Amino acid sequence: SGLGQHCASRRRATRRPPLGSAWSARRAMSDFSVDFTKSYARRRPDEPRSHYSSRLKFINALIKGEGDKISDERIEVMSHCYSNVKFLSNVYKDEIMDMLRKYDPELPM
């Protein structure tokens, strides 16, 4: 009946979207500071999606922490250093490693 359809549509309208939905993705993106028009945010052709995702999270933390004190060029360099440390076990000078760990404490010591 018409009343049954009205109640069903009302239930659908008031239900919360499930976790992992586009709504929750948009909400998570509101906390994201990465400018995807910048070269540092581009995925390298040889970069696995999982590595790119980790690098973007690092870039976001770096931008939030350093703000206007860091140039786009430095963001790009630091993000590639981050990938090299995280995925290739590279090691850099202490000042670089300290900054990388500041924004991803799970990096190895």
Side-chain angles (χ1 to χ4, degrees), residues 39-55:
S39 64
Y40 61 70
R42 286 194 205 113
R43 182 173 164 231
R44 295 184 312 242
D46 63 330
E47 187 174 27
R49 289 187 192 281
S50 60
H51 294 196
Y52 176 59
S53 176
S54 291
R55 192 167 61 83

Side-chain angles (χ1 to χ4, degrees), residues 28-73:
M29 288 300 286
S30 69
D31 194 37
F32 218 65
S33 301
V34 175
D35 179 349
F36 287 93
T37 65
K38 303 283 186 170
S39 64
Y40 61 70
R42 286 194 205 113
R43 182 173 164 231
R44 295 184 312 242
D46 63 330
E47 187 174 27
R49 289 187 192 281
S50 60
H51 294 196
Y52 176 59
S53 176
S54 291
R55 192 167 61 83
L56 285 177
K57 286 177 189 172
F58 172 80
I59 290 170
N60 189 56
L62 184 65
I63 290 170
K64 285 183 171 246
E66 299 296 314
D68 294 336
K69 297 183 290 185
I70 190 166
S71 69
D72 290 350
E73 292 79 18

